[in-house]
Amino acid sequence: MSQAYNLCIIKPNKSAFSETFIQAHIDGLAGNKKVLYGGAFPVYDHEGKTLIRSKLGLLSYLIQKRIFKRKNIKVRTCALYKYLKEHKIDAVFAEYGMVGASVTEACKLAGVPLIIHFHGADVYHRDTVAEYAELYQDAFKYASAFIAVSVDMAATLKEMGAPADKVFTASCGVDTAAFPLLDTSASTKDFLFVGRFVEKKSPQSLIKAFKILQEKHPDAGLWMVGGGPLFDETRELIADLGLNEQVTLTGVLKPEEIRTLMKTMRAFVQHSVTAANGDKEGTPVTVLEASSSGLPVVSTRHSGIKEAVIDGETGFLVDEYNIAGMAERMSILAESVELSVQMGKAARNHMINNYDIHMRIALLDHIIQSSISNNKIK
């Protein structure tokens, strides 16, 4: 059983539909939790009150942040330091590398262990990594643990300077009870994508693969859930390829709406790629949720997907931008509902054995408690 401790979880966004993994940490981690949010250096508590209490201090902070674009802002660091001391925080759990790097100095002043959970762009997006390079090095020296969501990411963190003995691999998990095995034996030739319409998810590549599939299986359909900067461009491509009747763009849906949609699908599809700016996926939670629900996944050999999907057993993987290859794998599943069901059951077992959220939370809790214990020994 977990011992009681005061944990401060710091995240950049108040809420984001694509960050269910952060909410899972907030809900599942042990301890008495305080949550802060508000950018790379969060300054708001759960009630929306700023940690910088004086009007003069807040003005100074805003000028330094917005006009001078400073990363190290003393008044902000002092405010977080006071908050950590006032609430007797035993450990800080920072979501995203930029956040962890930004709060390192305050944690150091307060003598509080810092655990940083990396997720994707914070390791791979070249401009972001360059912008925070100096702060990352400070964090690598001070923080107690660094959590990567894939084997590839763990290796990259070590290359960046994170001490190997402080790097842990723990992808985001999935609540296998909330995403139970679906009966897809009567599914039609419909395929599902859920995610942001961004370069690293390459929705255009998926549309092009589906166009090839359509020529062989005119009764196939594609459902795309989500929004993002490439949404309009994707919609135009769909129209240009004459797929308006076969591709359904739903926009952002609630989790329960997505689960309902999954019941009629043959497979989950996502063509993840390395973006021009270096950005990559971590381990997409949507892939885990679909797998837990018993949908085989057709995706790419990319980042944590290579571990989440067992090629030929729980789905199919192709190289990035192998559009014809993706269409071929989708066609195999379109032609055999029996294979889809078989792979879906294997995917479900893979999630239960390796990605269940309770296993992940237990590991994170162990890392946090070890960091607290080691800090007391110092």
Side-chain angles (χ1 to χ4, degrees):
M1 183 176 290
S2 300
Q3 64 186 40
Y5 56 82
N6 296 325
L7 177 67
C8 181
I9 299 174
I10 307 185
K11 60 176 186 167
N13 305 307
K14 183 176 183 181
S15 61
F17 83 91
S18 62
E19 293 181 340
T20 54
F21 48 90
I22 291 180
Q23 192 58 48
H25 296 162
I26 293 171
D27 294 339
L29 285 170
N32 305 307
K33 287 162 283 193
K34 300 286 184 183
V35 179
L36 302 179
Y37 69 91
F41 192 124
V43 291
Y44 299 100
D45 64 17
H46 69 286
E47 295 177 342
K49 295 177 182 175
T50 177
L51 305 187
I52 304 170
R53 299 299 162 82
S54 77
K55 290 182 179 177
L56 188 62
L58 192 56
L59 179 62
S60 170
Y61 157 66
L62 291 173
I63 290 172
Q64 292 182 72
K65 179 188 178 186
R66 294 180 180 173
I67 297 176
F68 295 105
K69 310 291 185 187
R70 285 181 181 155
K71 291 279 186 290
N72 288 313
I73 302 176
K74 189 174 180 182
V75 64
R76 184 173 60 180
T77 296
C78 287
L80 179 56
Y81 159 76
K82 288 176 183 175
Y83 180 91
L84 298 176
K85 298 300 282 185
E86 178 186 341
H87 293 280
K88 297 181 170 58
I89 298 299
D90 294 307
V92 167
F93 187 85
E95 301 280 8
Y96 291 101
M98 302 86 75
V99 174
S102 298
V103 304
T104 296
E105 184 62 24
C107 292
K108 190 189 296 185
L109 288 171
V112 174
L114 170 64
I115 298 93
I116 305 177
H117 202 312
F118 291 82
H119 293 287
D122 46 4
V123 176
Y124 298 121
H125 188 276
R126 280 192 294 271
D127 289 349
T128 298
V129 173
E131 186 180 350
Y132 286 87
E134 192 174 330
L135 290 179
Y136 269 24
Q137 294 309 314
D138 291 340
F140 290 154
K141 288 182 187 126
Y142 177 76
S144 303
F146 308 96
I147 300 164
V149 296
S150 71
V151 172
D152 285 1
M153 184 184 288
T156 302
L157 280 174
K158 292 170 190 175
E159 289 169 8
M160 290 166 64
D165 61 339
K166 291 184 179 182
V167 176
F168 299 84
T169 302
S171 82
C172 296
V174 58
D175 186 344
T176 54
F179 290 88
L181 181 67
L182 300 173
D183 179 4
T184 59
S185 59
S187 64
T188 52
K189 298 175 185 178
D190 283 340
F191 295 82
L192 176 67
F193 163 82
V194 181
R196 294 188 69 234
F197 285 60
V198 293
E199 187 183 353
K200 65 182 174 182
K201 292 186 188 291
S202 195
Q204 300 98 325
S205 294
L206 176 56
I207 294 298
K208 291 172 185 175
F210 179 72
K211 175 63 176 176
I212 298 172
L213 173 71
Q214 258 284 308
E215 292 167 0
K216 192 174 182 181
H217 297 278
D219 55 340
L222 174 63
W223 294 70
M224 301 185 76
V225 179
L230 296 181
F231 185 85
D232 290 341
E233 189 178 315
T234 303
R235 182 168 54 189
E236 289 172 11
L237 178 61
I238 290 167
D240 291 344
L241 294 178
L243 294 172
N244 282 336
E245 297 299 315
Q246 294 80 19
V247 180
T248 303
L249 297 171
T250 69
V252 177
L253 296 181
K254 295 176 181 176
E256 56 269 25
E257 293 174 314
I258 295 171
R259 284 196 285 270
T260 299
L261 204 52
M262 283 182 179
K263 293 177 182 177
T264 61
M265 296 295 148
R266 182 64 54 91
F268 185 90
V269 286
Q270 180 167 317
H271 198 100
S272 295
V273 302
T274 303
N277 58 21
D279 194 11
K280 297 182 187 180
E281 301 271 17
T283 297
V285 174
T286 49
V287 167
L288 306 183
E289 292 172 347
S291 297
S292 177
S293 302
L295 291 182
V297 174
V298 182
S299 191
T300 51
R301 295 185 182 91
H302 175 92
S303 202
I305 299 172
K306 293 182 293 188
E307 300 155 50
V309 179
I310 304 173
D311 188 23
E313 185 177 327
T314 71
F316 292 113
L317 297 177
V318 299
D319 291 338
E320 295 181 22
Y321 296 111
N322 183 357
I323 292 166
M326 186 169 206
E328 181 190 346
R329 272 46 166 211
M330 291 169 70
S331 181
I332 292 170
L333 291 173
E335 291 165 5
S336 176
V337 70
E338 293 80 13
L339 179 62
S340 174
V341 170
Q342 176 188 321
M343 284 187 153
K345 288 179 179 177
R348 166 77 177 171
N349 290 334
H350 185 44
M351 292 302 106
I352 290 172
N353 295 331
N354 299 287
Y355 287 86
D356 186 85
I357 189 64
H358 298 99
M359 295 166 56
R360 285 292 182 264
I361 293 296
L363 175 57
L364 297 181
D365 189 46
H366 172 73
I367 293 170
I368 292 166
Q369 290 200 46
S370 296
S371 298
I372 294 171
S373 298
N374 293 338
N375 190 57
K376 288 177 179 177
I377 294 170
K378 288 180 182 176

